Amino acid sequence: MVTVTQLSTFVLVARLGSVGAAARTLDVSESAVSQALTALRTHFGDPLIRRTGGGGMRLTPAGARLLPVASRMVALSADAEAAVRAARGAPDELRVVATSTLAEFVLPSLVEAFDGRSGRRTETSFGVAAGNEVRVLVENRLADVALGPYLGAVRGGELLSEPLFRTQLVVVTGARSPRPPGPPPQWSWLVDSSGTDPDADSGRLLRRLGVAEGHVWVFPNQAATWAAAAEGAGVAPALAHLVSPRIRRDELRILETPATPSDATWHATVLQPEHRSPATDAFLHFLHTPAATRIMRAPGAGVPPSRFRPPVYVTLWGG
């Protein structure tokens, strides 16, 4: 028998383009994802997804027909679960996903403040995902709210992105470090996972400047990149309002580049109103309040994203 778990896994692999990306999003092993795909392939008698010569994946004709049907079934399963929870009087479920910088600095405080102010019984989970992953999670009802880049849908689409907070992207280096020699593509760039995400501010910056992979060093979180930059290891992208305490402490200074400073905006992405839960609407309303704006504006020390659990845990792997 085909299960919702298997269909959800298939949708993620198809939308994200690899077993590895789906496993990271679900926070499970690649073998668990492969087992779910194998069960579907056996049931339908078709490979559904094939590997291509370039390391990517493509759908078979049967897989291409299954994908929109599977997406609708996953969405209906989410609607069914929400309806039963409401009928039982169970707490609302809210699953929030964010790109790495937001998750590191503001997401825990936003969720804590919302839980304390909403007056609702809400079970909240939150996690970290890359830009292409958050779109897939929200579109397929595997997360309720995504915080990060603009993901607004084209006309008639299912997604709605609302701007939340405007800031500037800058590049920082050690306060007493000389300007690196040569043009920016030749500098040593210190980034967290957002530097490898083409949809994130840091990823777009490196692409605009033409920085090759060999000049990029990836750290576990944003705070670690700033610490390394302060020690003279290279330069690091940063959002101005988050890095400002380190600049005031004379640990870092802003370094102008041909692409920075540049504007950056955080957005909240949700489904259209007819597909949203009451908890999602309440959280979206909270994100536009002065209290939420103060949290987004006030820089913190940074929380490593490893603390977070995946927002799809309950839906896919909770038994």
Side-chain angles (χ1 to χ4, degrees):
M1 180 179 292
V2 173
T3 67
V4 175
T5 295
Q6 293 163 358
L7 292 173
S8 300
T9 304
F10 166 71
V11 169
L12 283 177
V13 173
R15 300 292 192 197
L16 298 177
S18 74
V19 168
R24 287 191 301 273
T25 301
L26 296 170
D27 198 32
V28 299
S29 66
E30 292 190 20
S31 64
V33 173
S34 297
Q35 288 171 13
L37 286 180
T38 298
L40 278 183
R41 287 164 166 160
T42 301
H43 178 84
F44 289 112
D46 188 272
L48 301 178
I49 301 176
R50 297 185 187 276
R51 295 187 183 276
T52 61
M57 308 186 83
R58 64 176 178 82
L59 295 170
T60 66
R65 290 196 174 193
L66 175 62
L67 180 57
V69 178
S71 296
R72 290 197 297 272
M73 293 177 72
V74 172
L76 286 172
S77 174
D79 290 342
E81 183 174 343
V84 172
R85 289 174 66 92
R88 290 172 45 230
D92 292 339
E93 185 180 38
L94 178 66
R95 301 157 300 173
V96 186
V97 66
T99 48
S100 60
T101 300
L102 267 152
E104 181 178 349
F105 287 94
V106 302
L107 182 54
S109 297
L110 282 174
V111 169
E112 182 179 6
F114 170 72
D115 287 342
R117 290 166 54 98
S118 68
R120 307 179 64 90
R121 295 171 59 228
T122 306
E123 291 181 358
T124 305
S125 61
F126 50 94
V128 188
N132 66 321
E133 296 169 352
V134 298
R135 173 185 290 276
V136 172
L137 289 171
V138 177
E139 282 181 334
N140 292 279
R141 315 287 182 88
L142 303 176
D144 302 302
V145 183
L147 303 180
Y150 176 77
L151 301 176
V154 296
R155 192 178 189 87
E158 287 194 350
L159 295 186
L160 175 66
S161 282
E162 297 184 355
L164 293 177
F165 188 85
R166 290 179 173 83
T167 182
Q168 282 197 317
L169 182 67
V170 298
V171 173
V172 296
T173 188
R176 292 164 185 78
S177 300
R179 184 180 179 87
Q186 297 177 9
W187 299 349
S188 295
W189 288 85
L190 318 174
V191 301
D192 67 348
S193 60
S194 66
T196 63
D197 180 359
D199 295 313
D201 293 322
S202 296
R204 288 196 296 267
L205 172 64
L206 297 185
R207 190 167 63 248
R208 286 178 61 192
L209 293 174
V211 179
E213 184 177 334
H215 290 272
V216 178
W217 280 260
V218 181
F219 288 74
N221 53 66
Q222 185 85 89
T225 70
W226 299 344
E231 294 173 358
V235 303
L239 292 176
H241 75 291
L242 295 179
V243 79
S244 60
R246 294 173 183 255
I247 294 174
R248 289 195 298 268
R249 292 196 299 266
D250 203 29
E251 298 173 8
L252 296 168
R253 64 184 177 90
I254 294 177
L255 190 65
E256 290 191 4
T257 76
T260 58
S262 60
D263 293 334
T265 303
W266 289 339
H267 290 79
T269 299
V270 293
L271 293 170
Q272 295 290 344
E274 61 270 23
H275 299 301
R276 297 200 298 257
S277 68
T280 301
D281 281 331
F283 186 64
L284 187 62
H285 173 77
F286 167 73
L287 291 173
H288 291 285
T289 64
T293 301
R294 284 194 296 270
I295 291 171
M296 288 183 276
R297 181 182 297 118
V303 179
S306 59
R307 277 191 49 185
F308 305 141
R309 61 192 174 109
V312 294
Y313 175 80
V314 174
T315 301
L316 295 186
W317 305 99

